[in-house]
Amino acid sequence: MLGRRTLLVAALAAPAAYALPARRILVPVSLDGRLANMVLDTGAEISVLTLAAALRLGLKFDPWVQTTMRGAGGRLETHQNADVTHAMFGGVRLFQRPEARGLSLAVTRASLGGADGLLGGDILRHFTLDVNFPAATLSRGAIQTQATVPLQRLWPDLLLAPVLLDGHPLIALLDTGATTSLINARGLHHLDLAPAALARDPATTTAALGGALTGRLHRFNTLRLGPLVLANPTILTAPVPEPAFDVILGMDVLGLQRVVINYASLTLGFAQI
């Protein structure tokens, strides 16, 4: 069944696949026979290429199709799409719809920190991802997981997980493309954290697709995600409006584990490293 295929790449070398301190998994994707290094991004609803990469790869731009999306900075952007006839990763054909031959990728003028693009949920949702984040590898075949967390599907391509933050139950978006976790306006409301309570926290600005995002770094007591327990985590807070979830869980949390993200069974499995 297509939803249960395993996305794999053989023996990715850690220095090439895992960029620190940016905490990103970069995967080599063949687009019409040419290599693109794309961020494994479960938090991106659609897959994206930079304009520089689309031009370097010689891809054709679609004169009819454009994509409008909102980044973490909150700004809406409309992107022209580039067409890919044949996409492969680790010997596996990539697709957005099983019946479609190629891909239609949104093209952005924004810089993605040296990456050529984002491999998003519109492609990843057809596979099971066994990701050893500390070792920076994707692996073949099923593995035994010690514990699982039930997930919910947000729209067709994004995944939500339950977390406990200082005893408060929150809903978190799994986002392997985010270098740091973020608590948005809805999460701040559920945590009863008014602006005055955050006023003394250090301010910081981070780059985001859709514009720069300014927030404050707040220290909490405990974050729990299934069997994972983090003491005294420092998490970015920003009053970004978001109706569907409270927290973006980024690589500062997910990058500590080997996990199995199963879009078909809607589970997040934790494996022993």
Side-chain angles (χ1 to χ4, degrees), residues 180-246:
T180 185
S181 299
L182 168 71
I183 300 173
N184 59 31
R186 176 175 138 155
L188 292 174
H189 172 73
H190 288 160
L191 292 166
D192 198 23
L193 283 176
L198 304 171
R200 295 185 179 180
D201 292 334
T204 184
T205 299
T206 183
L209 192 63
L213 178 66
T214 299
R216 293 187 177 273
L217 294 169
H218 188 77
R219 175 161 291 189
F220 294 88
N221 294 321
T222 307
L223 172 66
R224 296 176 180 270
L225 170 62
L228 177 63
V229 180
L230 298 182
N232 302 315
T234 298
I235 303 176
L236 182 66
T237 66
V240 178
E242 173 52 61
F245 53 85
D246 310 300

Side-chain angles (χ1 to χ4, degrees), residues 110 125 149:
R125 66 189 175 97
V149 173

Side-chain angles (χ1 to χ4, degrees), residues 6-265:
T6 298
L7 190 61
L8 62 101
V9 62
L12 279 179
Y18 197 22
L20 290 174
R23 300 190 184 100
R24 301 183 303 170
I25 291 286
L26 295 177
V27 293
V29 179
S30 173
L31 301 178
D32 287 343
R34 297 182 179 180
L35 183 65
N37 289 311
M38 303 182 70
V39 177
L40 186 75
D41 193 351
T42 59
E45 186 178 1
I46 60 174
S47 297
V48 175
L49 271 184
T50 65
L51 176 61
L55 293 173
R56 188 189 81 241
L57 299 172
L59 300 179
K60 294 182 179 180
F61 292 90
D62 194 319
W64 303 102
V65 179
Q66 294 182 324
T67 300
T68 299
M69 57 185 178
R70 178 171 62 86
R75 189 176 68 202
L76 286 174
E77 291 184 343
T78 299
H79 302 266
Q80 191 174 10
N81 280 31
D83 293 328
V84 177
T85 302
H86 193 67
M88 297 290 292
F89 172 48
V92 176
R93 182 178 73 89
L94 300 181
F95 53 89
Q96 290 158 320
R97 299 181 307 278
E99 69 277 9
R101 277 185 55 85
L103 303 178
S104 180
L105 303 176
V107 177
T108 177
R109 293 181 180 271
S111 170
L112 298 178
D116 293 321
L118 308 175
L119 196 62
D122 55 340
I123 294 172
L124 298 178
R125 66 189 175 97
H126 300 288
F127 303 94
T128 295
L129 308 178
D130 169 13
V131 194
N132 188 334
F133 288 110
T137 59
L138 303 181
S139 302
R140 175 192 290 270
I143 64 167
Q144 188 70 31
T145 55
Q146 296 180 314
T148 59
V149 173
L151 303 176
Q152 299 176 40
R153 194 181 295 276
L154 176 62
W155 304 308
D157 304 329
L158 303 179
L159 297 174
L160 302 177
V163 299
L164 278 177
L165 185 58
D166 287 356
H168 295 270
L170 301 176
I171 300 299
L173 173 72
L174 297 185
D175 190 351
T176 60
T179 60
T180 185
S181 299
L182 168 71
I183 300 173
N184 59 31
R186 176 175 138 155
L188 292 174
H189 172 73
H190 288 160
L191 292 166
D192 198 23
L193 283 176
L198 304 171
R200 295 185 179 180
D201 292 334
T204 184
T205 299
T206 183
L209 192 63
L213 178 66
T214 299
R216 293 187 177 273
L217 294 169
H218 188 77
R219 175 161 291 189
F220 294 88
N221 294 321
T222 307
L223 172 66
R224 296 176 180 270
L225 170 62
L228 177 63
V229 180
L230 298 182
N232 302 315
T234 298
I235 303 176
L236 182 66
T237 66
V240 178
E242 173 52 61
F245 53 85
D246 310 300
V247 185
I248 292 174
L249 276 188
M251 288 291 287
D252 53 340
V253 175
L254 298 173
L256 301 173
Q257 297 289 304
R258 179 180 181 180
V259 298
V260 177
I261 303 173
N262 193 320
Y263 283 83
S265 66

